[in-house]
Amino acid sequence: MTKSQSASGGVALWRQIADAIRLDIVGGKLANGDRLPTEALLAERFSANRHTVRRALAVLAEEGVVAAEQGRGTFVKSIRRLTYPIGKRTRFREGLKGQAGSLVSVSISDKIENATARVAEALGLKPGTKVVRTEGMSVADGVPISRSTTWLPYRRFPDFAARIKEMQSTTMVFQSYEIADYSRASTRISARHADVEETRSLNLAPGAIVLVSEAVDVDPEGEPLSYALTRFPAERMELVV
């Protein structure tokens, strides 16, 4: 095995270096405009040769994550990220108010299916119970900022898909079902590489990081309304809990 290969899984070391730098940026260790450590220091950190480090930096530069300046070094490219606050009353449009000129919700697909064990647990149902599944995307100023998959109890929301296409607002749809208010029962946030479909639909570079929000919303009586997995491009969005 060469020095440009990982000992685990055969993943190229230059890709691991690029991923680690991305995570440093997403995690706040490196901020917009910060200068990256020199090639020599990065080579020492990752036990790699400078050629491997140079390849990782070149890939990040192609993706627009960093920019090299002759004689000065490589810097984190200034990217304006939208801030999405997550709390007890999480509302997507309200949370992004004033941060984008336009915010559009796009319905991609919908279907009726049987709840998996995980979906059933989140919604307080028995596995195999009918649920409505919707796929959607949010676009801010023409740029995709989220890709979501949402499940709801079919018995309570049989035509949710049709209503969300018409109203383009979850809050308005719930109100149409005479649910005046709802709140966030739980949110779990993780980070991973975007898969092939997410890379395509969110217009991301290969290897991009997405923040994944796993959320359950409930009505005022505490009855689960929806279970959603939402993927946010880390380079465009930050989640604040």
Side-chain angles (χ1 to χ4, degrees):
M1 181 177 290
T2 68
K3 207 172 186 182
S4 64
Q5 293 290 319
S6 163
S8 61
V11 179
L13 183 54
W14 65 265
R15 173 59 69 186
Q16 293 189 56
I17 295 171
D19 292 345
I21 293 173
R22 280 196 201 89
L23 289 173
D24 284 347
I25 296 171
V26 172
K29 292 182 180 179
L30 289 170
N32 288 338
D34 282 355
R35 183 168 60 186
L36 270 63
T38 64
E39 288 182 1
L41 289 174
L42 289 172
E44 181 179 351
R45 172 185 171 186
F46 295 104
S47 300
N49 57 51
R50 294 180 66 170
H51 174 76
T52 301
V53 170
R54 200 168 296 128
R55 183 176 181 185
L57 295 178
V59 169
L60 292 175
E62 289 175 6
E63 296 172 1
V65 177
V66 301
E69 296 184 17
Q70 186 68 32
R72 296 191 64 224
T74 302
F75 295 81
V76 178
K77 192 171 181 180
S78 181
I79 300 174
R80 185 178 73 91
R81 290 195 291 174
L82 303 182
T83 299
Y84 179 36
I86 296 176
K88 193 66 177 176
R89 292 191 79 260
T90 301
R91 303 292 187 270
F92 194 67
R93 288 182 177 275
E94 289 181 16
L96 297 180
K97 189 175 182 180
Q99 298 185 58
S102 66
L103 184 60
V104 179
S105 297
V106 180
S107 294
I108 298 174
S109 65
D110 60 83
K111 63 186 295 188
I112 307 300
E113 63 183 25
N114 297 326
T116 63
R118 180 68 193 98
V119 171
E121 179 185 10
L123 293 177
L125 304 172
K126 292 182 179 179
T129 303
K130 279 188 178 182
V131 290
V132 178
R133 172 176 174 166
T134 65
E135 302 281 349
M137 185 164 64
S138 292
V139 180
D141 296 332
V143 179
I145 57 171
S146 74
R147 178 77 164 78
S148 62
T149 306
T150 306
W151 293 266
L152 308 97
Y154 174 80
R155 184 174 182 179
R156 191 169 187 180
F157 305 107
D159 60 345
F160 180 91
R163 297 194 193 192
I164 196 67
K165 287 178 183 177
E166 177 185 351
M167 302 177 187
Q168 297 189 3
S169 165
T170 298
T171 299
M172 291 179 64
V173 173
F174 283 157
Q175 289 175 349
S176 74
Y177 282 104
E178 299 185 353
I179 299 170
D181 197 14
Y182 64 99
S183 60
R184 179 62 53 87
S186 65
T187 304
R188 295 180 182 179
I189 299 173
S190 58
R192 60 169 171 77
H193 292 294
D195 63 25
V196 174
E197 191 281 329
E198 292 160 352
T199 299
R200 180 194 59 77
S201 63
L202 292 171
N203 194 23
L204 301 174
I209 302 295
V210 290
L211 305 176
V212 182
S213 167
E214 182 179 1
V216 176
D217 286 334
V218 298
D219 65 16
E221 285 70 45
E223 189 73 20
L225 296 173
S226 64
Y227 169 58
L229 291 177
T230 307
R231 289 82 79 197
F232 302 91
E235 64 193 49
R236 302 170 192 164
M237 296 286 293
E238 62 178 1
L239 310 183
V240 179
V241 179

